[in-house]
Amino acid sequence: MVGVSTKVKRLLFNEGLVSEEEWAAALAKGGDLIGVLMEDGILEEDSLMEVFGRSAGVPPVNLLDVLPDRMALDAIDKATCQEHLILPLSKNGDVLTVAVADPFNVILFDDLKRMTGCQVRAMFAHRAMLERALDLAYDQGAAQVEKMMSEVSSAEILQAPEEDAEAQDLETRVDSEEAPAVRLVNVIVLKALKEKASDIHIEPAEKNIVVRLRVDGTLRQIMAPPKVLLPALSSRLKILASLDIAERNRPQDGKFRIRYEGRSIDFRLSILPVVGGEKSVIRVLDAGSAAMSLEAMGHEKRSYDDIQKAILSPYGMMLVTGPTGSGKSTTLYSCVQTVATPDVNVTTVEDPVEYLMDGINQVPVNPKRGLTFAGALRSILRQDPDIVLVGEIRDKETADIAIKAALTGHLVFSTLHTNNAAATISRLIDMGIDPFMVASSLLCICAQRLGRRLCTSCKLPADDATAENLKKLGSSDKDVTGLDEVFKADPEGCVRCNGGYRGRFAIVETLTVSPDIKRMIIEGESSAAIKTKALEEGMLSLRRVGLLNVIRGITSIEEVLRITLDE
């Protein structure tokens, strides 16, 4: 949680920019409070900067229009700038101009004056813009990889506490010729954690190594170190994941854990031989993050009501489906948090545990030790559970046990890989589950995707996005009633975003298994027929939910078309 001073809070209330209810809702979401209020459209950046600047007597600055000069950057080191969230902009004689996130911190101004020997002229900039501008000002990207590697100090290395036997120290001693690869791994991982990346791709090219991060669902290149480092880089990753260093001709999978900023981070490593060497993909799983509440996830009212009805049922099964990285686990954890009370026993079986939750028994799958999903689930059912979360249904055995648990008085949550909610029913039957068992156990199926949010600082009006065009894409007459303005992403983006987008949100369709749909399942109706019936009963499709968020200005038509299929 990013703190906000009492003075800032009082100023926002006094100016009528934020209400008590809006403040409480933003507080529940966590993170940067001011950033959350701006993303939700409650605060406008121009109004915020005007009020703060006027109250503190500090003029606002748009960091999009300013290029910090080198003399100013040399006056204050990067670590100090990051610690206090400041950015030196210019230095004229003994006058140093700096951008600050907190214009009311007069003690900081005194410290800067004493530190630099200059008169300090402060200007106000929003926190998120400052963080991005700092990275751009001090990090020079791929062209500076060698310099970055040489600057990685022991203080920056990710350290594992001695009491955590599974967590590792990334500065494990290796042969001297591999030391540059050790430092490069540290740089890449640190960059990924700072950028909040979900995946790291390290792949061989003709003359170099391409390192890319997946941030907000899209890949972007961050550096291109020399290809001579590839064998040592792959070996370093294999050492961390306890894989076979000598094996370079077959795929390998492993995992490792580190400590970063006081929390555990799990990494899944997949190595695949390709033309030119070995490609490594690392999935980043932050086990110390907190799952969002269902209310904070921003579901459509219909979807929210369907989910609430399912998770408050005494028994049965709710499934969340979608591709890898679509937020299925986050949705399930939010459901578990809603129903986990001291009078119920909640047990999960996961591979691996992605979020840590108090008061819940979480079992990590370990196939090497004989602990599979099916085996763990059998043991869990002997532990007198009320609610069971199965990380993923991968085979008939796991599906069969989970469905029988749902039919014998347990509330079961799990995930499955299908394209939409209706196709999940066919998938279970194809696994060999009796249609009657499927119909009797299922309560609700959620199909989910993650869409990118438009950056509130640089989004542009989409002139061709008319009500008629939206209806052709799948919106209803009711959806476009009173349509004001639709936005698109600025392809060049700004310092706060990645190509016009910043952050993601869930797009969810929910299929409630009504009596009519139960009958259709038992009679062997197709998934297309079941979907048609669900739409008649009021289900909102993925495409329509996405377009509703276009109409609200949260995302763009292009983004919705990218992640959803035509109905």
Side-chain angles (χ1 to χ4, degrees):
M1 176 70 68
V2 177
V4 175
S5 70
T6 304
K7 187 168 184 177
V8 169
K9 178 180 177 182
R10 186 170 63 251
L11 180 62
L12 293 175
F13 285 175
N14 291 344
E15 292 286 337
L17 297 178
V18 180
S19 68
E20 290 278 2
E21 294 76 15
E22 291 166 340
W23 184 268
L27 195 63
K29 292 185 179 182
D32 175 9
L33 280 173
I34 301 297
V36 170
L37 290 167
M38 291 177 65
E39 286 181 2
D40 291 346
I42 296 166
L43 273 180
E44 292 291 338
E45 184 157 355
D46 290 343
S47 301
L48 179 73
M49 295 181 75
E50 179 186 348
V51 169
F52 276 23
R54 185 176 67 248
S55 177
V58 174
V61 60
N62 185 350
L63 295 180
L64 295 173
D65 302 327
V66 177
L67 182 65
D69 68 47
R70 178 49 53 187
M71 287 182 62
L73 293 173
D74 290 342
I76 307 175
D77 64 89
K78 180 182 177 181
T80 301
C81 290
Q82 290 178 323
E83 179 183 356
H84 299 289
L85 203 54
I86 58 176
L87 176 64
L89 299 177
S90 65
K91 187 173 185 291
N92 296 314
D94 64 346
V95 178
L96 179 66
T97 301
V98 298
V100 298
D102 185 356
F104 304 103
N105 192 347
V106 293
I107 296 176
L108 172 61
F109 302 155
D110 290 340
D111 289 343
L112 292 177
K113 181 178 179 180
R114 184 168 55 253
M115 183 189 310
T116 62
C118 296
Q119 298 295 321
V120 176
R121 178 173 176 257
M123 303 188 79
F124 170 63
H126 180 249
R127 174 183 293 272
M129 294 189 74
L130 262 174
E131 290 175 343
R132 189 66 182 272
L134 268 171
D135 283 340
L136 293 174
Y138 284 97
D139 291 338
Q140 302 303 315
Q144 299 294 327
V145 170
E146 293 296 331
K147 183 179 178 182
M148 289 169 64
M149 289 168 55
S150 66
E151 289 177 351
V152 176
S153 65
S154 59
E156 291 177 297
I157 303 302
L158 310 182
Q159 299 288 342
E162 293 181 2
E163 65 271 15
D164 191 343
E166 295 185 25
Q168 299 188 39
D169 178 353
L170 287 192
E171 196 159 48
T172 303
R173 294 292 180 184
V174 293
D175 295 340
S176 59
E177 61 267 22
E178 289 191 325
V182 175
R183 295 196 296 273
L184 182 56
V185 166
N186 292 333
V187 169
I188 293 170
V189 171
L190 283 166
K191 184 75 172 174
L193 294 175
K194 290 176 181 177
E195 294 283 334
K196 294 180 170 55
S198 61
D199 299 88
I200 304 168
H201 289 241
I202 303 171
E203 51 201 39
E206 184 177 354
K207 296 180 180 179
N208 53 27
I209 306 168
V210 177
V211 181
R212 298 188 291 173
L213 301 181
R214 187 176 295 279
V215 180
D216 290 341
T218 57
L219 284 169
R220 60 186 179 86
Q221 184 173 327
I222 60 165
M223 60 179 72
K227 193 171 182 178
V228 69
L229 284 173
L230 182 62
L233 192 61
S234 297
S235 295
R236 174 58 181 160
L237 292 171
K238 290 175 184 177
I239 289 171
L240 288 171
S242 301
L243 300 180
D244 185 353
I245 301 176
E247 179 58 67
R248 298 187 182 275
N249 296 312
R250 65 180 177 87
Q252 295 191 69
D253 296 294
K255 62 180 71 171
F256 58 94
R257 176 181 296 171
I258 63 167
R259 297 285 293 179
Y260 173 70
E261 292 184 345
R263 66 183 190 273
S264 294
I265 312 288
D266 282 305
F267 294 81
R268 288 184 195 167
L269 172 65
S270 173
I271 293 182
L272 181 70
V274 298
V275 174
E278 291 179 300
K279 176 180 178 179
S280 301
V281 176
I282 308 166
R283 166 62 58 90
V284 183
L285 300 169
D286 190 347
S289 298
M292 297 174 65
S293 67
L294 273 176
E295 293 82 355
M297 294 186 72
H299 294 305
E300 299 297 324
K301 186 178 186 307
R302 170 65 190 243
S303 301
Y304 177 78
D305 290 344
D306 288 346
I307 293 172
Q308 281 284 76
K309 181 180 178 182
I311 66 178
L312 295 178
S313 300
Y315 56 86
M317 176 183 283
M318 177 180 139
L319 293 176
V320 182
T321 183
T324 300
S326 60
K328 300 186 298 295
S329 295
T330 301
T331 295
L332 284 185
Y333 280 119
S334 299
C335 293
V336 168
Q337 281 191 337
T338 302
V339 296
T341 57
D343 59 339
V344 297
N345 177 17
V346 182
T347 308
T348 76
V349 52
E350 307 167 60
D351 182 23
V353 174
E354 295 188 26
Y355 298 95
L356 300 177
M357 295 184 287
D358 292 333
I360 293 173
N361 307 293
Q362 296 176 267
V363 180
V365 166
N366 192 333
K368 291 181 179 178
R369 298 179 183 176
L371 187 61
T372 62
F373 272 113
L377 189 50
R378 285 195 191 91
S379 298
I380 284 172
L381 294 176
R382 293 192 287 268
Q383 291 279 317
D384 186 31
D386 298 295
I387 299 169
V388 177
L389 187 155
V390 183
E392 183 182 346
I393 293 177
R394 297 178 178 174
D395 50 49
K396 180 182 184 299
E397 186 179 15
T398 306
D400 190 52
I401 299 169
I403 284 178
K404 286 178 179 176
L407 291 173
T408 54
H410 303 89
L411 183 60
V412 179
F413 300 130
S414 191
T415 70
L416 204 62
H417 287 280
T418 58
N419 289 327
N420 57 53
T424 304
I425 295 167
S426 300
R427 174 74 177 127
L428 288 171
I429 294 172
D430 289 344
M431 279 184 172
I433 307 300
D434 185 271
F436 178 80
M437 301 270 285
V438 174
S440 302
S441 61
L442 281 179
L443 297 168
C444 179
I445 306 169
C446 304
Q448 181 163 316
R449 302 290 186 275
L450 288 180
R452 292 179 293 170
R453 290 179 180 270
L454 286 169
C455 175
T456 56
S457 295
C458 66
K459 64 183 180 181
L460 304 171
D463 299 328
D464 59 340
T466 62
E468 284 302 315
N469 288 341
L470 287 168
K471 284 194 286 186
K472 288 178 183 178
L473 292 173
S475 292
S476 68
D477 291 333
K478 180 182 177 182
D479 295 341
V480 298
T481 300
L483 177 66
D484 183 17
E485 191 172 32
V486 174
F487 294 92
K488 65 180 180 179
D490 183 341
E492 295 184 3
C494 66
V495 295
R496 292 187 60 200
C497 67
N498 295 308
Y501 295 95
R502 182 169 178 263
R504 291 193 286 178
F505 68 101
I507 296 176
V508 180
E509 72 175 19
T510 52
L511 188 158
T512 299
V513 184
S514 65
D516 285 343
I517 291 178
K518 288 180 186 289
R519 176 185 53 78
M520 295 176 73
I521 295 171
I522 294 170
E523 293 175 355
E525 295 278 2
S526 68
S527 59
I530 291 172
K531 182 172 184 176
T532 299
K533 182 63 178 177
L535 290 170
E536 290 174 1
E537 293 178 348
M539 181 183 83
L540 299 177
S541 68
L542 283 167
R543 172 64 63 84
R544 188 175 169 196
V545 172
L547 291 173
L548 285 170
N549 284 282
V550 169
I551 292 167
R552 297 189 188 105
I554 294 173
T555 192
S556 66
I557 291 177
E558 293 77 14
E559 178 66 6
V560 172
L561 297 181
R562 184 181 72 86
I563 60 175
T564 65
L565 292 173
D566 192 12
E567 301 300 339

